[in-house]
């Protein structure tokens, strides 16, 4: 089956839907998701949207907070654009009817989250901002946008010389393969949280877009920077869902089982320190055998302020009335991803990436709280404007086919749960050269370096996900070994300080080679591995 499209969007989160709703009505657009439209990370996002909408706040403050939290590993120009356009875009969404929370006087109710110096978090429905925003965007989708559910995109279609992206292959639940040709293919498929045993992500977030782009030859960067959220509800040895940072913004405090406050003398912002710092303190306390809780006893009307979290606690037998919510860190957000420019263009013509799938330079080594939904609405809007201005030229050209097919029996023998445990031990919150080398040896022995250059049509839905997890494991682990410092969410026990010599250096990976690039420009590159 062949389908000819103008714009094909892979993913159904806030970035994807913001793009889809703003594309010109003359364009033939499809949104493909391997799950259902209301099952994205964005839909379940408890946090809000960080934006300068209060007259006492300043764009410069938001820029500085973003860069400080991300440990100066950014494109400063892109951070400035994100903050400036973000403020305008949020105001537009509010004017269009986004149902944001307001105080008794009708003013926008602004929350406070970690590493923000000002109250600037816009919420909708308390801790259900994601759901309300997605529903709002879905209501505004134009008629020409087709939504296709339960199809997994697994391979980008390339021209014979592999220079241009011209479409995508998908696989339905029944195993049938679909072929879509498109002038513009946009990857907005989220991060790779499911590569760890504890995560705030939906279980289908296996890094599909990143693995597809890597196999196609695109540049991938900053994969070593994985943000662990400090507070996931922790019950009977398992994490059960996110306890939003907004709880600490409302007055919740981190305490151990004896009632000692964890963050009292660790950071000037205490419980609202940047996420990599609070997550690390909880990790250390738990490693020493101590249970950790968020003390919510000082928060008035907790059930009203945080209905989603209250329901989550009740579902898992935790009494909100007791005032102590047991928590543990879990993987939350990928700062790295597919290299893109200011419009979301990748290094392959015809291929774009937005949202968590992309590495746009706005998050640095550690994302500032609630900048993710902001990134989605800003880059979705910006890419829509760019695509609306492009000429409609046919790409009906011959496509590349893999000569060699992957051995499905070898993929079937791989263990997803074993990989998750190995990732947590070797490439989790704390890394070391010794453990990283051992993990990379495990991946090499598994055959990961051979899989990236073979066709995968024969694999089942679950086998493709497993393959993509192993590819992403390598993409995370190799730069984690190369970056011999601790910066933001990348913490090395054997290189425990932030090295000035690594300032501004990014590790770029393609299927051909890996190298270091200083900043977000083409100059000052150092080849590491061919």
């Amino acid at each position: 089956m062949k389908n000819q499209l103008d714009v094909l969007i892979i993913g159904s989160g806030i970035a994807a839907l913001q793009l889809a709703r703003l594309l010109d009505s003359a364009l033939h657009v499809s949104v493909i998701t391997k799950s259902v439209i209301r099952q994205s990370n964005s839909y379940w996002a408890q946090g809000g949207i960080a934006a300068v909408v209060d007259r006492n706040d300043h764009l410069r403050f938001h820029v500085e907070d973003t860069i400080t939290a991300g440990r100066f590993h950014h494109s400063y120009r892109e951070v400035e654009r994100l903050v400036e356009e973000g403020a305008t875009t949020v105001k537009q969404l509010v004017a269009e009817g986004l149902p944001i929370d307001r105080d008794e006087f009708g003013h926008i109710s602004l929350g406070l989250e970690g590493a923000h110096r000002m109250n600037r978090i816009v919420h909708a429905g308390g801790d259900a901002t994601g759901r309300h925003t997605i529903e709002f965007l879905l209501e505004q989708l134009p008629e020409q946008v087709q939504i296709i559910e339960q199809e997994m995109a697994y391979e980008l279609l390339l021209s014979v010389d592999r220079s241009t992206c011209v479409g995508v292959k998908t696989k339905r639940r029944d195993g049938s393969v679909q072929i879509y040709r498109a002038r513009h293919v946009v990857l907005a498929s989220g991060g790779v949280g499911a590569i760890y045993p504890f995560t705030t992500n939906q279980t289908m977030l296996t890094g599909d877009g990143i693995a597809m782009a890597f196999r196609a030859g695109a540049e991938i960067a900053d994969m070593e920077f994985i943000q662990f959220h400090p507070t996931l509800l922790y019950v009977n040895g398992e994490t059960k869902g996110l306890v939003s940072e907004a709880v600490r913004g409302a007055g919740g405090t981190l305490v151990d089982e004896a009632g000692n406050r964890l963050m009292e003398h660790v950071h000037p912002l205490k419980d609202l320190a940047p996420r990599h710092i609070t997550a690390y303190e909880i990790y250390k306390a738990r490693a020493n055998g101590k249970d950790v809780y968020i003390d919510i006893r000082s928060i008035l009307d907790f059930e009203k302020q945080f209905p989603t979290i209250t329901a989550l606690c009740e579902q898992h037998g935790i009494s909100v009335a007791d005032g102590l919510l047991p928590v543990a860190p879990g993987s939350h957000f990928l700062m790295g991803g597919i290299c893109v420019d200011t419009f979301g263009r990748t290094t392959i013509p015809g291929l774009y990436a937005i949202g968590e799938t992309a590495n746009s330079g706005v998050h640095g080594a550690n994302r500032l709280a609630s900048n993710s939904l902001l990134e989605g609405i800003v880059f979705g809007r910006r890419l829509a404007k760019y695509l609306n201005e492009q000429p409609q030229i046919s790409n009906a050209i011959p496509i590349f086919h893999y000569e060699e097919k992957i051995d499905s029996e070898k993929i079937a023998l791989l263990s997803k749960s074993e990989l998750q445990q190995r990732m947590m031990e070797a490439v989790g919150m704390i890394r070391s050269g010794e453990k990283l080398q051992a993990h990379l040896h495990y991946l090499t022995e598994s055959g990961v370096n051979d899989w990236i250059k073979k066709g995968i049509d024969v694999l089942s839905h679950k086998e493709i996900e497993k393959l993509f997890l192993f590819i992403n494991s390598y993409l995370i682990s190799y730069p984690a070994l190369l970056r011999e410092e601790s910066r933001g969410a990348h913490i090395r026990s054997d290189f425990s300080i932030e090295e000035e010599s690594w300032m501004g250096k990014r590790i770029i990976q393609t299927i051909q080679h890996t190298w270091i690039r200083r900043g977000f420009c083409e100059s000052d590159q150092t080849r590491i591995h061919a």
Side-chain angles (χ1 to χ4, degrees):
M1 176 181 178
K2 292 186 178 181
N3 303 273
Q4 181 65 51
L5 302 164
D6 293 308
V7 183
L8 178 60
I9 305 169
I10 308 301
S12 58
I14 194 168
L17 297 181
Q18 170 76 328
L19 167 63
R21 83 178 184 108
L22 296 175
L23 287 169
D24 192 278
S25 60
L27 298 177
H28 185 193
V29 181
S30 284
V31 175
I32 296 180
T33 176
K34 70 175 179 180
S35 182
V36 293
I37 202 72
R38 291 175 173 83
Q39 197 62 36
S40 64
N41 263 8
S42 296
Y43 190 84
W44 297 107
Q46 294 177 5
I49 306 172
V52 178
V53 296
D54 185 86
R55 62 183 180 182
N56 295 317
D57 200 357
H58 297 279
L59 297 174
R60 177 172 56 84
F61 292 167
H62 192 177
V63 169
E64 291 174 354
D65 290 349
T66 297
I67 292 171
T68 300
R71 302 314 303 152
F72 312 97
H73 188 76
H74 306 73
S75 165
Y76 290 5
R77 176 175 174 272
E78 288 302 331
V79 173
E80 290 171 352
R81 290 196 66 184
L82 173 74
V83 169
E84 291 171 4
E85 293 181 29
T88 301
T89 304
V90 168
K91 291 174 183 176
Q92 287 179 343
L93 288 173
V94 172
E96 291 170 0
L98 180 67
I100 61 168
D101 296 343
R102 298 180 180 273
D103 62 21
E104 62 271 27
F105 303 106
H107 302 137
I108 298 176
S109 180
L110 296 172
L112 180 66
E113 291 185 2
H116 288 272
R117 75 183 72 179
M118 304 289 289
N119 287 54
R120 65 167 69 97
I121 315 302
V122 178
H123 289 276
D127 56 4
T129 305
R131 176 166 59 86
H132 285 279
T133 305
I134 293 295
E135 293 292 354
F136 172 77
L137 296 176
L138 285 172
E139 289 174 2
Q140 299 205 346
L141 282 184
E143 290 184 0
Q144 91 275 11
V145 176
Q146 178 188 23
I147 294 177
I148 302 171
E149 298 179 311
Q150 305 287 356
E151 281 192 33
M152 179 185 188
Y154 70 92
E155 186 176 300
L156 296 172
L157 298 179
L158 302 174
S159 56
V160 172
D161 62 359
R162 305 195 72 179
S163 65
T164 306
C165 181
V166 297
V168 72
K169 283 184 181 180
T170 70
K171 183 159 288 197
R172 291 180 174 170
R173 294 289 176 178
D174 63 5
S176 61
V177 172
Q178 309 299 307
I179 294 177
Y180 298 88
R181 280 184 175 269
R183 293 191 300 116
H184 308 286
V185 176
V186 183
L187 297 173
S189 50
V192 67
I195 204 168
Y196 292 96
F198 295 165
T199 182
T200 64
N201 290 194
Q202 298 299 298
T203 57
M204 77 281 193
L205 268 292
T206 49
D208 303 349
I210 296 166
M212 290 165 59
F214 179 69
R215 279 169 46 85
E219 291 184 2
I220 312 295
D222 292 339
M223 291 292 286
E224 67 270 35
F225 296 115
I226 306 279
Q227 183 179 86
F228 281 74
H229 197 287
T231 53
L232 278 66
L233 190 68
Y234 187 76
V235 183
N236 297 327
E238 297 179 348
T239 53
K240 300 298 184 180
L242 180 66
V243 179
S244 171
E245 199 162 273
V247 172
R248 282 173 283 134
T253 57
L254 294 168
V255 298
D256 64 19
E257 56 198 24
N260 300 311
R261 294 187 60 172
L262 264 62
M263 302 301 298
E264 187 68 19
H265 305 293
V266 173
H267 190 277
L269 293 176
K270 298 182 180 179
D271 295 277
L272 291 175
R275 286 177 175 171
H276 67 287
I277 296 175
T278 48
Y280 186 34
E281 291 303 313
I282 296 173
Y283 171 84
K284 288 192 295 185
R286 291 188 52 77
N288 288 327
K290 299 177 180 178
D291 291 329
V292 178
Y293 302 86
I294 298 182
D295 187 338
I296 62 171
R297 287 174 287 191
S298 66
I299 302 176
L300 297 176
D301 299 321
F302 182 90
E303 295 91 335
K304 183 178 180 181
Q305 287 195 58
F306 303 103
T308 303
I309 297 171
T310 299
L312 179 70
C313 290
E314 290 175 350
Q315 179 183 349
H316 296 287
I318 302 299
S319 172
V320 171
D322 291 343
L324 294 173
L325 310 184
V327 294
S331 70
H332 184 55
F333 192 86
L334 172 67
M335 275 71 74
I338 307 164
C339 292
V340 297
D341 67 5
T342 194
F343 298 108
R345 295 178 297 191
T346 73
T347 51
I348 299 176
L351 180 65
Y352 308 80
I354 52 177
E356 191 173 352
T357 306
N359 178 239
S360 62
V362 299
H363 297 309
N366 180 53
R367 175 176 65 81
L368 181 67
S370 288
N371 269 0
S372 55
L373 295 184
L374 182 72
E375 179 191 23
I377 62 172
V378 167
F379 277 83
R381 177 175 178 260
R382 195 186 298 167
L383 180 55
K385 184 176 186 299
Y386 174 83
L387 294 179
N388 287 339
E389 296 171 351
Q390 300 309 300
Q392 296 192 32
I393 302 174
S394 173
N395 65 356
I397 57 178
I399 61 174
F400 165 83
H401 294 282
Y402 287 96
E403 294 182 2
E404 192 175 355
K405 305 300 181 184
I406 202 163
D407 185 347
S408 60
E409 292 183 1
K410 290 184 178 180
I411 304 301
L413 292 173
L414 298 174
S415 169
K416 176 182 174 180
S417 60
E418 181 183 356
L419 177 68
Q420 291 174 323
Q421 290 299 328
R422 285 178 176 270
M423 280 296 297
M424 196 64 200
E425 292 171 8
V427 209
M429 290 188 57
I430 312 297
R431 295 97 180 258
S432 71
E434 181 180 1
K435 289 185 176 181
L436 287 166
Q437 286 176 336
H439 183 62
L440 284 165
H441 177 73
Y442 162 75
L443 293 174
T444 301
E445 290 295 303
S446 298
V448 67
N449 294 324
D450 296 326
W451 303 332
I452 59 177
K453 299 178 181 179
K454 295 181 179 180
I456 59 175
D457 292 345
V458 298
L459 299 183
S460 69
H461 188 284
K462 288 187 177 180
E463 287 170 342
I464 293 172
E465 285 191 327
K466 195 190 302 182
L467 171 71
F468 285 172
L469 285 174
F470 272 79
I471 290 174
N472 278 293
S473 179
Y474 185 88
L475 291 174
I476 295 167
S477 305
Y478 188 41
L481 175 65
L482 295 178
R483 182 173 290 280
E484 295 182 336
E485 68 158 350
S486 290
R487 182 176 299 275
H490 172 67
I491 303 173
R492 286 280 296 262
S493 61
D494 47 352
F495 294 96
S496 59
I497 62 173
E498 203 173 79
E499 290 285 355
E500 187 175 349
S501 62
W502 273 98
M503 177 76 76
K505 289 184 177 179
R506 304 165 66 221
I507 299 171
I508 314 295
Q509 300 179 84
T510 68
I511 54 173
Q512 288 83 22
H513 48 75
T514 298
W515 70 98
I516 289 178
R517 178 183 298 162
R518 183 177 292 281
F520 283 74
C521 61
E522 298 294 330
S523 61
D524 193 22
Q525 300 180 32
T526 304
R527 184 69 54 84
I528 288 182
H529 175 70

